[in-house]
Amino acid sequence: MSKKALGKGLEALFQVSANDKAPVHTDSDKKNTALTGLGQFVDIEKVIANPEQPRKEFDEASLKDLADSIKQKGVLQPILVEKKEDKYQIIAGERRYRAASLAGLKEVPVIEKELSEEGKLEIALIENIQREDLSPIDEAKAFSTLIKNYNIGQDELSKRVGKNRSTIANSLRLLKMPQDMQDAISSGEISSGHARAILSVVNPADQRVLFNRITTGTISVREAEKQAANLNNGMRAAQDGKKHDTKKRKSPDIVEIEQKFIDIFGTKVNLNGSIAKGKIEISYFSKDDLERIFDIIAKN
């Protein structure tokens, strides 16, 4: 399979060539599915998942809806597989396979292909991207795997999967975020737009501040972008002030305690003084922000 064909999308993959297995049609055609295209039916228990499948999470409600549809109309598109001894490893179509299993089908339609490991991962990625089935983190991890394991540059990857290079670059940046932030993106707790706003903040401590505001409040992406700009402006001012500041740097103990306050309040916190004596400054950037901080203090 050429790189060019892969870039065109999945439809090119379901063209049965001379190298594909001859189609086999059984009574299952009528009982289990409305097969549209050439292929063969195999025992569903012989179909196995691909460990390199980019998508790690499958929405249960969505799978149930698809299973209900399959009960009525069958599997309308064959599952793309590769023969592995007496098994069939999925290249593309794991969601259909899971739903078919949930629907109680004994056999599923498949088309066999022989692809390189790179090709299989690429096809699985393309299928999920075209159907918008991947979480932003799973998509970023799939991009990263293709780039690292198969020495593909972002420009080449852009052509293969039909995404702008800037889109791929922004996607990969998500993997630089702390694990809890990546988990929040995967679960849908924060959107890709929110994540981009967080990544636009230069200071890692301020990134944490913005993340906490987003997850504990109802901040829109636009508002998150504004707050990111405010945090960056504040940080630059602090950096400029340090050029003329002759005071000693804060001790590691003060910095550690300061970070704990930041994690609790989700905003900038500044400790002036020592462990024994000093002053705590808690910043807020709106009335809602102030009320949120008040509620945190009041609860404790």
Side-chain angles (χ1 to χ4, degrees), residues 142-190:
F143 287 151
S144 179
T145 298
L146 283 167
I147 289 171
K148 291 178 180 178
N149 292 4
Y150 305 109
N151 197 29
I152 301 173
Q154 290 187 22
D155 287 332
E156 176 64 18
L157 183 57
S158 170
K159 295 175 185 176
R160 293 196 190 192
V161 301
K163 292 272 188 176
N164 291 332
R165 186 184 183 282
S166 59
T167 300
I168 292 174
N170 287 331
S171 176
L172 292 170
R173 290 180 65 210
L174 298 177
L175 300 181
K176 296 180 180 180
M177 303 180 79
Q179 189 58 51
D180 63 328
M181 294 187 189
Q182 292 188 38
D183 292 342
I185 298 169
S186 294
S187 67
E189 186 177 2
I190 67 173

Side-chain angles (χ1 to χ4, degrees), residues 19-289:
N19 295 325
D20 294 325
K21 303 295 183 182
V24 177
H25 298 284
T26 70
D27 290 340
S28 298
D29 285 19
K30 297 178 180 178
K31 290 191 294 183
N32 287 342
T33 187
L35 180 62
T36 59
L38 299 177
Q40 60 181 318
F41 285 84
V42 300
D43 187 334
I44 196 168
E45 293 186 358
K46 290 187 176 182
V47 180
I48 58 176
N50 180 359
E52 297 299 323
Q53 157 70 248
R55 185 157 57 119
K56 304 304 179 185
E57 300 293 334
F58 292 83
D59 181 74
E60 293 299 326
S62 177
L63 275 180
K64 185 179 183 303
D65 288 343
L66 181 56
D68 290 341
S69 174
I70 286 174
K71 286 179 182 179
Q72 297 296 321
K73 300 179 181 178
V75 181
L76 299 181
Q77 186 181 60
I79 299 166
L80 195 65
V81 298
E82 180 181 43
K83 191 73 179 289
K84 294 281 188 179
E85 297 179 352
D86 64 335
K87 301 290 185 180
Y88 299 86
Q89 186 179 82
I90 298 171
I91 298 174
E94 184 168 342
R95 182 169 175 268
R96 293 193 298 280
Y97 155 74
R98 287 177 178 242
S101 180
L102 189 62
L105 267 63
K106 302 300 182 184
E107 293 182 319
V108 288
V110 302
I111 290 178
E112 289 185 45
K113 289 283 183 179
E114 291 185 7
L115 296 171
S116 66
E117 291 302 314
E118 174 188 353
K120 285 186 285 186
L121 176 59
E122 189 174 350
I123 295 309
L125 176 60
I126 290 172
E127 181 196 39
N128 282 293
I129 288 175
Q130 288 184 346
R131 291 177 169 84
E132 298 183 346
D133 282 336
L134 283 183
S135 77
I137 294 298
D138 284 344
E139 182 178 88
K141 287 179 178 178
F143 287 151
S144 179
T145 298
L146 283 167
I147 289 171
K148 291 178 180 178
N149 292 4
Y150 305 109
N151 197 29
I152 301 173
Q154 290 187 22
D155 287 332
E156 176 64 18
L157 183 57
S158 170
K159 295 175 185 176
R160 293 196 190 192
V161 301
K163 292 272 188 176
N164 291 332
R165 186 184 183 282
S166 59
T167 300
I168 292 174
N170 287 331
S171 176
L172 292 170
R173 290 180 65 210
L174 298 177
L175 300 181
K176 296 180 180 180
M177 303 180 79
Q179 189 58 51
D180 63 328
M181 294 187 189
Q182 292 188 38
D183 292 342
I185 298 169
S186 294
S187 67
E189 186 177 2
I190 67 173
S191 69
S192 295
H194 285 119
R196 286 192 293 272
I198 292 170
L199 284 167
S200 71
V201 178
V202 180
N203 187 335
D206 286 341
Q207 287 184 355
R208 174 63 59 183
V209 167
L210 183 55
F211 173 74
N212 288 339
R213 289 180 191 170
I214 292 170
T215 55
T216 58
T218 54
I219 299 176
S220 67
V221 171
R222 187 171 181 180
E223 178 61 27
E225 291 170 346
K226 289 180 180 178
Q227 293 197 22
N230 290 337
L231 289 168
N232 282 334
N233 288 334
M235 193 196 74
R236 284 195 293 270
Q239 285 181 327
D240 291 339
K242 287 180 182 178
K243 295 178 182 178
H244 308 289
D245 192 355
T246 58
K247 295 181 180 179
K248 292 190 300 182
R249 291 186 178 180
K250 293 179 179 178
S251 71
D253 289 338
I254 290 292
V255 172
E256 182 181 356
I257 293 173
E258 203 172 63
Q259 184 59 51
K260 289 180 179 179
F261 275 115
I262 289 172
D263 291 340
I264 291 171
F265 292 112
T267 190
K268 295 185 75 171
V269 177
N270 187 40
L271 267 64
N272 292 315
S274 65
I275 293 293
K277 183 179 180 180
K279 181 172 62 174
I280 302 174
E281 295 178 350
I282 303 174
S283 300
Y284 60 92
F285 299 88
S286 67
K287 181 181 178 183
D288 289 341
D289 212 16

